[in-house]
Amino acid sequence: MLPDLNRRQWLQCTGAISTAMLAGHLNATQPEPTSGRFPRPRLSLNTSTLRGHQLGVPEQIRVTADAGYDGIEPWMGDLRRHVEAGGRVSDLRKLLDDSGLELSGAIGFAKWIVDDPAARQDGLDEARRDMALVRELGGHLMAAPPIGAHRLKELGDTGPPSLDVVAQRYAALLDLGKEMGVTPLLELWGFSPVLSKLGELAYVSAAAGRSNAAVLPDFYHIYKGGNDMISLGMIEASRMPLFHINDYPQSPPIESIADRDRVYPGDGICPLVPTIATLIQHGFAGTFSLELFNPTYWGLPADEVAATGFRKSQQVIEAALALASKGDRSIE
């Protein structure tokens, strides 16, 4: 007779077929489907989803693990505040290990992209500190959004930097990441004057000329930036080790829709199932991280929000796996 397994243990068992695309493994060969099935993407919780609950990092970890996620993607500000208040990184690492969670990534805002050389160096110094903390917690990935170049009013008369300049600055961040053992993921921001287009993301990551270059797309930001989901096919699957999953409603319109309007996967109009099925058929075996900012959800118990997000995300991923396994290339 098999022993009873709780949901967390069952997920850890079934999740063993997933491939974690971490730094140092970005060029690995994608696993072949087994018996017509593809590797199951892992599922993480970006703690923005619980941001309004104002939980400490240990409680974020508990809620995430209890809901059944494979990993957690915390914000660097929360991690820093925990340490500054006297919390030990080693205790957080043990809590992650005991909970069976991986550190899927981390959200930081180091200004690696700005024009001012001194400010850019400060940004790289901040990124170094963030990467050191990520490594202590067992992580290998960190978001690198275009913070500092994401608002036209802050850019002055010169406007946003050219893509070739952005590529040079991203290359410097990648060199730092190689030294620290953490891959900075070039993040798409759909509202930004730069890096709002999938084509820009692909160009900069290629023009950087570094073997550890990788990108962090987001379904909401793909939509907000006026992109077509089919353009994801132009980015090699192993270069997307982390992907923010969410959905968005029909209204407000694209011009005024904002982060706060994001909804659970499957509750909006995003073509998640066929898009994820295509990603899987192209070899995607990374982690989907649920990233929401919906204040309505923040008014509900944190455990309920995390569990609902897990269930709805899994339903979308399961449907995409089933569609991908049919081998129907017309979904592209």
Side-chain angles (χ1 to χ4, degrees), residues 85-97:
R88 296 193 303 182
V89 179
S90 59
D91 289 340
L92 285 184
R93 175 68 181 269
K94 185 176 187 303
L95 188 57
L96 285 169
D97 292 342

Side-chain angles (χ1 to χ4, degrees), residues 34-270:
T34 302
S35 301
R37 295 186 62 83
F38 290 86
R40 183 184 306 279
R42 296 172 68 80
L43 184 59
S44 175
L45 180 68
N46 182 305
T47 56
S48 67
T49 305
L50 306 175
R51 195 159 186 78
H53 295 90
Q54 299 182 342
L55 305 178
V57 178
E59 186 67 1
Q60 291 173 358
I61 293 173
R62 182 199 66 77
V63 170
T64 302
D66 287 351
Y69 292 87
D70 301 298
I72 187 170
E73 188 185 12
W75 284 42
M76 293 305 309
D78 290 342
L79 294 174
R80 288 195 215 101
R81 280 188 288 274
H82 178 82
V83 173
E84 290 165 359
R88 296 193 303 182
V89 179
S90 59
D91 289 340
L92 285 184
R93 175 68 181 269
K94 185 176 187 303
L95 188 57
L96 285 169
D97 292 342
D98 291 346
S99 300
L101 291 175
E102 66 178 10
L103 194 79
S104 305
I107 302 298
F109 298 102
K111 294 184 177 180
W112 58 273
I113 196 174
V114 295
D115 284 335
D116 181 77
R120 192 163 65 251
Q121 184 57 55
D122 287 344
L124 290 174
D125 292 341
E126 180 180 342
R128 178 183 293 275
R129 293 190 296 271
D130 289 349
M131 289 176 180
L133 184 51
V134 167
R135 284 299 296 123
E136 281 190 77
L137 291 170
H140 300 269
L141 302 173
M142 190 175 76
I147 186 76
H150 65 294
R151 293 191 181 99
L152 282 174
K153 64 181 181 180
E154 297 176 354
L155 294 173
D157 296 335
T158 60
S162 71
L163 293 184
D164 286 320
V165 168
V166 174
Q168 293 171 6
R169 294 170 184 174
Y170 181 48
L173 187 63
L174 288 167
D175 290 342
L176 174 62
K178 187 173 183 179
E179 175 189 341
M180 300 297 294
V182 174
T183 300
L185 304 177
L186 196 66
E187 186 173 9
L188 187 78
W189 272 9
F191 57 84
S192 174
V194 64
L195 298 182
S196 65
K197 302 293 186 183
L198 287 170
E200 294 173 336
L201 213 64
Y203 182 89
V204 169
S205 58
R210 299 293 188 273
S211 62
N212 56 334
V215 301
L216 174 52
D218 178 305
F219 287 109
Y220 163 78
H221 282 299
I222 293 172
Y223 173 71
K224 178 66 177 177
N227 299 276
D228 193 312
M229 295 292 171
I230 199 67
S231 298
L232 285 166
M234 299 306 296
I235 302 175
E236 201 275 315
S238 70
R239 300 292 172 168
M240 296 183 279
L242 191 64
F243 201 124
H244 287 161
I245 187 172
N246 40 60
D247 210 330
Y248 43 83
Q250 181 75 50
S251 180
I254 191 171
E255 296 79 16
S256 57
I257 198 169
D259 282 327
R260 62 180 287 120
D261 299 309
R262 302 183 191 204
V263 294
Y264 293 120
D267 285 0
I269 62 170
C270 181

